[in-house]
Amino acid sequence: MDLGIAGKRALVCAASKGLGRGSAEALAEAGVSLVINARTPGPLEQAAADIAARHGVSVVPVAADITTAEGRARVLTAAGDVDILVTNAGGPPPGLWSDWSRDDFIKALDANMLTPIALMQACLPGMMARGWGRVVNITSQSVKSPIGVLGLSNSARAGLTGFVAGTARQVAASGVCINNLLPGIHATDRALALDGGVATAQGITLEAAAAQRQATIPARRYGTAAEFGAACAFLCSAHAGFIVGQNILLDGGGFNSTM
Ligand code: NAP
């Protein structure tokens, strides 16, 4: 399918690996030129070179911590007027509800709620003025189905979801669509690290830990970054102009509900 976005410009945050990388690859395949970001320069520059070589589009890497004001300013300056914004960053650490301090919450809110909001506040006016724009926020299945040990993530992402619910409906008349993609377990470094933790805690192999978690997913496997990226690119496409303010789960059926 021609996504109808060749020649557009996108900023994809936290995109040297994993779900951000998958999204960047799929947008590049659709002919979108990119600014991509991550903190570590080497892998980011390699990712930019690989994506550009594979898809023949311009890919500008900006090494910066997107959760800091200084990092965002550098990324946004390099990005300029973008038609597409994909927000993403690492998730907060696990822990216990009784242990988190105000500082822990502020850090999580900064990274996973206030950072995507600041990026939207920076990019939305230009998109609205030009009459076309797409924003996809990478959040988590934990928005719909809380994960106890990820209380910091549950809290911050719920706040972002509330902001998007109202804002998406305020900007839609300008041709700008904001939606959230909610990943379930995907085979990225993050998922492998979680498997490693389970393997160590239970004294089992990495493969056994992965098989145990996959058995809890109706699809009986993890998602892939490529599948995630394809869904993200569709939400950024010319065909997605009537999809507004939605929270779309990509979880292999893990969230058990009728609707
Ligand atoms: P990943 O494979 O570990 O990749 C994370 C990417 O983000 C890397 O490119 C990393 O590069 C970059 N990054 C991390 N923190 C950053 C920051 N502060 N500023 C700029 N770039 C940053 O992770 P992932 O699995 O794709 O996860 C992406 C998001 O989806 C996370 O918020 C995660 O919590 C959420 N999520 C993932 C899953 C899953 O199963 N994979 C499920 C639910 C939710 P550097 O380290 O070099 O910065």
Side-chain angles (χ1 to χ4, degrees):
M1 179 192 274
D2 178 357
L3 296 184
I5 48 176
K8 300 239 182 243
R9 290 170 46 78
L11 166 58
V12 186
C13 302
S16 65
K17 293 189 300 185
L19 306 179
R21 170 74 181 264
S23 302
E25 291 272 2
L27 287 168
E29 190 179 351
V32 175
S33 63
L34 302 174
V35 171
I36 64 169
N37 150 260
R39 291 164 302 183
T40 319
L44 176 68
E45 282 154 18
Q46 188 62 54
D50 290 349
I51 297 169
R54 200 162 19 252
H55 303 293
V57 294
S58 153
V59 185
V60 176
V62 184
D65 184 339
I66 200 68
T67 68
T68 67
E70 181 272 332
R72 272 194 304 280
R74 280 197 292 119
V75 170
L76 287 166
T77 299
D81 287 336
V82 289
D83 309 294
I84 294 167
L85 167 66
V86 179
T87 76
N88 186 27
L96 188 62
W97 62 271
S98 49
D99 293 342
W100 293 313
S101 66
R102 176 180 167 77
D103 283 350
D104 295 323
F105 278 103
I106 296 296
K107 208 169 162 196
L109 293 173
D110 259 341
N112 297 106
M113 177 183 167
L114 298 177
T115 289
I117 289 175
L119 290 164
M120 283 186 268
Q121 287 174 325
C123 295
L124 286 174
M127 292 178 183
M128 293 168 75
R130 292 187 297 278
W132 197 95
R134 299 284 185 266
V135 178
V136 174
N137 299 294
I138 300 179
T139 66
S140 172
Q141 64 182 352
S142 69
V143 170
K144 289 217 177 199
S145 185
I147 301 168
V149 294
L150 293 181
L152 293 173
S153 170
N154 301 339
S155 307
R157 296 190 199 276
L160 173 62
T161 305
F163 175 84
V164 166
T167 306
R169 289 161 174 91
Q170 287 177 294
V171 303
S174 302
V176 179
C177 301
I178 313 177
N179 292 287
N180 302 322
L181 272 182
L182 284 52
I185 304 173
H186 283 69
T188 65
D189 284 3
R190 182 176 164 86
L192 297 179
L194 288 172
D195 286 343
V198 171
T200 307
Q202 298 184 8
I204 56 176
T205 63
L206 197 61
E207 291 71 27
Q212 207 167 272
R213 284 214 296 160
Q214 285 166 5
T216 67
I217 304 170
R220 298 288 184 264
R221 65 175 178 88
Y222 294 161
T224 69
E227 288 172 314
F228 186 91
C232 178
F234 181 78
L235 279 183
C236 297
S237 76
H239 313 298
F242 209 49
I243 305 178
V244 171
Q246 298 303 300
N247 291 281
I248 299 169
L249 267 173
L250 297 177
D251 71 344
F255 180 65
N256 192 33
S257 73
T258 304
M259 284 188 279

